Amino acid sequence: MFGGGMDDMLNAMLNGGMGSFGGGRGGRVQRSRRGRDAAYALPVTLEDLYNGKMVQIERKRTVMCPDCKGTGSKRRSLPRGGNMCPVCRGSGSRVMVRQMGMMVQQMQVVCDACQGSGEHIDPRNRCGRCSGNKTVEVDASVQVVVEKGMAHRQRITFPRMADEELGVERAGDFVVVLQQVKHDVFTRDDCDLHMQHHLSLAEALCGFQFKFTHLDGRELVVRQARGTITKPGDVKCVIGEGMPLHKQANRFGNLIIEFNVKYPDRIEAGQLQLLREALPPPKSVDVAADNEAGDVCYVTREDLSVLEEEIKKDEEAEEENEGPQTGCAAQ
């Protein structure tokens, strides 16, 4: 879920979509003050954000070779121009002459001997550790502290812990971006938590009690007193049982519970009289008791199908009763 694609997207956002540092006059790598930032997407659960967590990230980091101090040569200190490319004389480019009929064309191209760097290290003098590449890859684990109350997409920055780059004075930052994964029970809205609970019709009418496990492992009991009716869509608020506020000790948001009521598909005939006695009298007409209640309207798809079938049979019967019609022939 949080693979290389997510990290690549975050890197592009942090660095403004810029490419590598380079270009400039003559094709040589120009020195920049600050390197590119590196991003890492860290998946965290809602429990991690509620309780806090410490995570160890194992990673590789590119640094200047400690043996040659980034010169690429066996000798750490070189005289000025000691590694100068003999082909381009340190310019990083060369002039290519092309004969085109009676004309001669001159073009400036990147030096293929030094790949535009302006430097060339004799294979006999290359650093044994970096093989003349000037940089090496090292283990650079990072310990990330996810604090209580941190949010989805919040950034944790480690200054100057990105890769070191050639021609750059200061390495960029290593930025950890928290990515909250979906929770089975709770959803988060800033410092509040939301959850849904389904009630039976009996619980909605007669009161209820249920238990759930909070993000810190506590078991909480929610009660509704008898005689208090809960309607579908009713919302209750439990003060102080939401998310902890980041960097604000002992302060919490609220827990919002939305109730859904599940109605039975059918009620047995023997229970109807009990319900009529217990509930306020209905305003609707009792069709079974009043034969002159009027035309019956079908309110379910099943009843509608029965009605359509009856209409079709009536139409077929009318056609049979009318019989074939005889036309008049012209004389």
Side-chain angles (χ1 to χ4, degrees):
M1 182 177 180
F2 302 101
M6 177 64 74
D7 291 341
D8 292 342
M9 183 178 68
L10 292 173
N11 278 314
M13 292 172 60
L14 288 175
N15 295 292
M18 296 188 301
S20 60
F21 292 91
R25 185 172 60 87
R28 292 191 63 181
V29 176
Q30 301 298 307
R31 194 165 186 82
S32 174
R33 295 184 59 85
R34 188 179 186 279
R36 293 170 294 180
D37 293 335
Y40 181 89
L42 177 64
V44 290
T45 64
L46 204 50
E47 284 85 354
D48 297 336
L49 298 174
Y50 187 94
N51 300 297
K53 185 179 182 180
M54 188 173 294
V55 182
Q56 189 83 6
I57 299 177
E58 304 295 338
R59 57 185 287 259
K60 297 289 186 179
R61 183 182 180 224
T62 300
V63 298
M64 295 298 165
C65 177
D67 287 4
C68 65
K69 301 299 182 182
T71 64
S73 175
K74 291 179 180 179
R75 293 181 294 174
R76 294 189 177 185
S77 60
L78 295 172
R80 184 176 180 83
N83 283 338
M84 181 184 295
C85 175
V87 177
C88 65
R89 306 294 297 174
S91 67
S93 63
R94 62 184 182 86
V95 177
M96 185 175 68
V97 180
R98 178 182 296 177
Q99 183 75 36
M100 300 180 64
M102 300 295 294
M103 300 177 60
V104 176
Q105 183 184 31
Q106 291 186 344
M107 295 184 299
Q108 190 177 42
V109 297
V110 175
C111 177
D112 51 5
C114 64
Q115 306 301 320
S117 67
E119 296 181 343
H120 178 75
I121 303 174
D122 191 305
R124 295 170 297 179
N125 295 327
R126 289 176 183 172
C127 172
R129 182 168 182 177
C130 67
S131 301
N133 294 319
K134 304 180 182 180
T135 60
V136 293
E137 199 174 63
V138 297
D139 293 326
S141 62
V142 173
Q143 194 172 66
V144 181
V145 178
V146 180
E147 299 175 352
K148 294 181 179 181
M150 280 188 164
H152 174 56
R153 294 183 179 176
Q154 187 162 345
R155 299 179 180 184
I156 303 173
T157 302
F158 296 85
R160 302 192 180 193
M161 284 297 292
D163 291 341
E164 294 181 355
E165 304 174 68
L166 296 174
V168 175
E169 296 179 2
R170 176 192 181 279
D173 299 335
F174 180 66
V175 182
V176 177
V177 183
L178 302 182
Q179 298 288 325
Q180 178 190 320
V181 298
K182 185 178 180 181
H183 197 271
D184 293 335
V185 177
F186 302 102
T187 57
R188 181 180 182 179
D189 181 14
D190 195 13
C191 61
D192 292 334
L193 287 173
H194 292 253
M195 66 175 291
Q196 291 189 344
H197 185 73
H198 297 273
L199 299 174
S200 66
L201 182 57
E203 290 175 316
L205 296 176
C206 305
F208 60 85
Q209 174 177 302
F210 71 92
K211 181 171 61 175
F212 70 93
T213 303
H214 210 313
L215 295 172
D216 57 356
R218 291 177 298 136
E219 290 191 339
L220 302 183
V221 178
V222 179
R223 291 190 179 96
Q224 178 77 296
R226 292 183 178 181
T228 304
I229 295 177
T230 303
K231 303 179 182 66
D234 275 0
V235 174
K236 306 294 182 182
C237 179
V238 184
I239 304 297
E241 290 297 344
M243 291 293 295
L245 274 63
H246 187 219
K247 294 187 180 298
Q248 298 186 45
N250 301 321
R251 294 193 62 189
F252 292 82
N254 301 320
L255 172 62
I256 312 298
I257 306 176
E258 181 179 352
F259 292 95
N260 298 314
V261 179
K262 184 178 180 181
Y263 288 83
D265 296 329
R266 191 174 184 83
I267 297 178
E268 299 298 331
Q271 298 173 324
L272 288 176
Q273 185 59 33
L274 296 176
L275 286 175
R276 289 180 182 275
E277 294 174 357
L279 298 175
K283 295 181 180 180
S284 60
V285 178
D286 190 342
V287 179
D290 188 357
N291 294 328
E292 298 181 358
D295 295 334
V296 178
C297 296
Y298 294 86
V299 295
T300 67
R301 185 171 295 277
E302 181 180 356
D303 292 338
L304 183 60
S305 300
V306 174
L307 176 62
E308 290 175 345
E309 187 66 26
E310 291 178 354
I311 293 175
K312 184 177 180 181
K313 289 180 180 179
D314 291 341
E315 291 176 348
E316 292 176 352
E318 289 178 1
E319 291 178 358
E320 291 178 359
N321 293 334
E322 291 177 359
Q325 295 183 359
T326 304
C328 297
Q331 298 295 328

